[in-house]
Amino acid sequence: MNATQQTDPNADLSAIRAVFGDLSDTWGRGDAAGFAALFTQDAQYTTNFGLTLQGRAQIEQGHRYVFEGPHRSAELVLLFGEEPQIRLVRPDVAIVLIGGGTSDGGEVSSRENSTRSTLTYVMLREPTGWRISMFQNTRRTPIPA
């Protein structure tokens, strides 16, 4: 994008929010290819336990395992009633913080071993739309007493 091109920040915010709907939809269908397609070819995806998947192919392969195994019936839950924090740092780059986790019953567990996380995304505007370039999943844990 060059300096003379104008963008509509409201349209960008709507398009970015739509990506999160697509993430939930593809997760719900167990669609690893569709889920991975929301990421750039060279994306980096870091799980809550520190494993980093490099590139769309690894993201797809890793999520195929997740969808067929440990989270087969899980639902991706985003927001927790919170608004995502979206910061357009340039017209073609956004940083997004959002609450999220997985659930087997529509509500993210409040157990000690909860899947509640703060999810950090770096998103890039590509010719095909907004895509996720980098993802970091950080587990929400109480501060030890």
Side-chain angles (χ1 to χ4, degrees):
M1 172 176 297
N2 65 44
T4 61
Q5 290 178 308
Q6 297 295 314
T7 62
D8 177 357
N10 290 325
D12 287 328
L13 294 175
S14 292
I16 289 167
R17 284 185 180 98
V19 171
F20 294 101
D22 294 341
L23 280 172
S24 291
D25 291 345
T26 55
W27 183 289
R29 291 192 313 270
D31 179 0
F35 186 87
L38 299 169
F39 292 79
T40 61
Q41 280 293 350
D42 63 348
Q44 197 170 44
Y45 185 107
T46 304
T47 68
N48 65 300
F49 51 88
L51 174 67
T52 298
L53 305 174
Q54 187 65 49
R56 190 181 284 163
Q58 282 189 7
I59 293 167
E60 180 177 345
Q61 178 184 11
H63 283 82
R64 180 165 284 111
Y65 166 79
V66 167
F67 298 155
E68 292 174 358
H71 291 291
R72 180 174 333 142
S73 62
E75 171 186 5
L76 180 64
V77 180
L78 297 173
L79 297 178
F80 307 135
E82 306 164 2
E83 280 297 310
Q85 298 174 41
I86 303 172
R87 195 169 127 214
L88 289 167
V89 294
R90 288 191 342 209
D92 59 344
V93 178
I95 299 171
V96 181
L97 289 176
I98 191 169
T102 56
S103 168
D104 286 327
E107 187 172 315
V108 176
S109 171
S110 60
R111 303 178 274 132
E112 185 176 318
N113 189 21
S114 172
T115 65
R116 285 180 177 263
S117 294
T118 296
L119 310 174
T120 305
Y121 298 84
V122 176
M123 300 183 70
L124 303 179
R125 182 207 319 268
E126 294 195 328
T128 57
W130 285 93
R131 295 289 175 258
I132 301 161
S133 177
M134 187 169 280
F135 168 81
Q136 168 71 47
N137 181 337
T138 305
R139 219 33 119 196
R140 291 185 180 183
T141 57
I143 297 173

